[in-house]
Amino acid sequence: MITIGGNSLNKDDAINAGIVRPLEQTILHVMYASPYTYSYRSMDALLFEIRFRVAITDSSRELYYSGVQFADFYRSRCNPMFWNLLPDGAFQLKMGVPASEAILDIYRNGRLYAFECATAMIIILYHAAVKMLPPAQFNRLFSNIRLWGWKYDQDLQIVHNIPPDYLPGDIRYVKNPDVNPLTPEWQGENVVDLGDGTFFGHGLGFRTVEGMIEALALRRRPGATRMPYLMLPATRPGFSYLYQFSSNRKEGTTPIMLFDDTLQRSTMSIDEYEEKHEELLKNFITIRIGNSS
C-alpha cells in the first residue's frame, strides 16, 4: 500500500505521473501490493525513491563495465589526481576536488582503481546520488568523502535492517561462514538486487543468489561443512532525507506554520525549518505544514 500525504495512492495515478521504465513499474507494484504502508509526503518524493533505486541498479552495472578491479585493502589503488591513498587502503578525497567529479572519475577511469566489495557498494550509492542530486548539493553534502569499506558520510543516512519487502536497489549480504583463512576477503559478498532475479557483486559479477552461494562455496576452507547463505537484512540510503536536496522537490514553497506559547503564528519555508528544526522544537509548541493564509 502507498499513501501520499496520508491518502491512498491509485496505482494508475503513479504511472501517469511518470513511472515509465519496467523496473520502475516493478518497484511500484511491490510497494502497491504490500501489506506494509509506504508513506510519502508527495508524489515527487515517491518518484524520487523509485528512480534512485533504479539509479543504484544502473550504477552497479556501470561499475562492472568501468574496468575497476577487485582487491583487498592492502592492494587498493586509485587515481592520485582525485584521491589520496591512505596506508589502510582508504581513498580520501583530495582537497579542492569536487566530490561529484571524484566519484565520476572512478567510472570514467576504472582501470586506475581497485578495491573490495564493501567499498564498491558505497561507491555505487554515491554514484547513484550524483545522478539524483544537483552537483552543487552533492558537493556540499559530501565534501569530505573517505572510501573505505562501509565507512560513509552521515548524509547518506544509510539504514540497515530487515525490511517488510525486498526491492530492486537493496544491498544484501551473502555470508561465507567457513571462508578459507588464506582468502579472508571472501568471507562474504555484498550484492545489489538488480530486480530481475540477479544480483551484482564486485569481484563476482552478475549472478543469481544461488550463483553467488556457489562461487563463495569454492572459497571455503578445506573440510568446510557450512554453506554460504543470504542474510536477511537489507541496506538502503535515506531516500526521504536525500529527497530534500533534489532538484525535483516541490514542497519548498509550502510554508511551515509555527505557534508559540501564546498561539502567535509565524511562518517559514521547509528549507529554513529543516536547517533550524532542533532549535525551533525548543521554542514553539506547535509546528505543522500548512497554508499561510
Side-chain angles (χ1 to χ4, degrees):
M1 179 180 179
I2 302 173
T3 63
I4 303 295
N7 299 313
S8 296
L9 174 67
N10 183 292
K11 190 176 180 180
D12 289 338
D13 290 340
I15 293 175
N16 293 334
I19 299 295
V20 178
R21 294 178 60 174
L23 188 54
E24 294 174 349
Q25 295 178 12
T26 296
I27 297 168
L28 178 66
H29 176 74
V30 173
M31 290 179 170
Y32 192 77
S34 175
Y36 174 79
T37 300
Y38 291 89
S39 300
Y40 300 89
R41 59 193 185 192
S42 69
M43 180 70 77
D44 286 306
L46 167 63
L47 295 178
F48 178 81
E49 175 171 339
I50 290 175
R51 289 167 181 163
F52 203 132
R53 287 183 171 279
V54 173
I56 292 170
T57 68
D58 289 343
S59 292
S60 300
R61 292 188 173 91
E62 291 166 31
L63 187 70
Y64 177 80
Y65 291 111
S66 70
V68 299
Q69 302 294 308
F70 179 87
D72 60 28
F73 291 115
Y74 303 104
R75 297 175 179 84
S76 295
R77 64 177 187 272
C78 57
N79 186 346
M81 291 184 63
F82 292 84
W83 306 91
N84 291 318
L85 180 61
L86 304 184
D88 61 0
F91 305 163
Q92 178 65 54
L93 182 67
K94 296 194 84 165
M95 187 175 297
V97 172
S100 59
E101 289 301 314
I103 292 296
L104 290 172
D105 184 70
I106 298 173
Y107 284 74
R108 292 167 177 161
N109 295 297
R111 296 193 181 280
L112 299 177
Y113 292 85
F115 40 79
E116 48 67 67
C117 69
T119 301
M121 297 298 108
I122 296 300
I123 289 171
I124 287 168
L125 294 181
Y126 279 131
H127 190 253
V130 168
K131 298 176 181 179
M132 298 301 299
L133 302 177
Q137 289 283 35
F138 183 94
N139 293 332
R140 182 179 65 82
L141 287 172
F142 306 117
S143 60
N144 191 35
I145 288 179
R146 181 172 182 255
L147 300 173
W148 191 88
W150 277 106
K151 301 293 184 182
Y152 54 85
D153 192 288
Q154 63 179 0
D155 280 305
L156 276 179
Q157 293 281 300
I158 284 178
V159 177
H160 181 72
N161 60 19
I162 299 175
D165 305 289
Y166 296 106
L167 295 163
D170 281 345
I171 297 174
R172 308 285 300 277
Y173 187 68
V174 182
K175 185 175 179 61
N176 190 10
D178 281 347
V179 64
N180 190 322
L182 297 178
T183 56
E185 63 271 21
W186 295 112
Q187 62 188 293
E189 181 77 347
N190 293 281
V191 296
V192 176
D193 185 341
L194 300 178
D196 60 358
T198 66
F199 293 75
F200 168 72
H202 180 52
L204 293 182
F206 305 106
R207 301 171 186 254
T208 62
V209 170
E210 293 75 19
M212 294 290 178
I213 289 173
E214 290 173 4
L216 289 175
L218 297 174
R219 294 162 170 85
R220 292 180 296 166
R221 61 178 174 80
T225 58
R226 294 176 294 177
M227 285 292 288
Y229 61 92
L230 179 66
M231 297 185 69
L232 291 176
T235 300
R236 303 165 169 176
F239 297 112
S240 61
Y241 172 80
L242 291 169
Y243 169 65
Q244 67 183 302
F245 305 107
S246 74
S247 58
N248 293 330
R249 181 179 173 185
K250 298 296 193 298
E251 292 93 338
T253 58
T254 303
I256 292 283
M257 293 192 297
L258 306 100
F259 297 85
D260 62 20
D261 55 5
T262 65
L263 297 183
Q264 289 293 311
R265 185 179 70 180
S266 57
T267 62
M268 66 172 52
S269 71
I270 287 183
D271 288 329
E272 292 176 300
Y273 168 70
E274 286 171 344
E275 182 180 345
K276 306 173 182 177
H277 71 280
E278 291 185 2
E279 187 64 29
L280 294 171
L281 289 172
K282 299 176 184 178
N283 297 326
F284 292 89
I285 61 172
T286 302
I287 300 174
R288 63 186 177 90
I289 298 177
N291 193 304
S292 60
S293 60

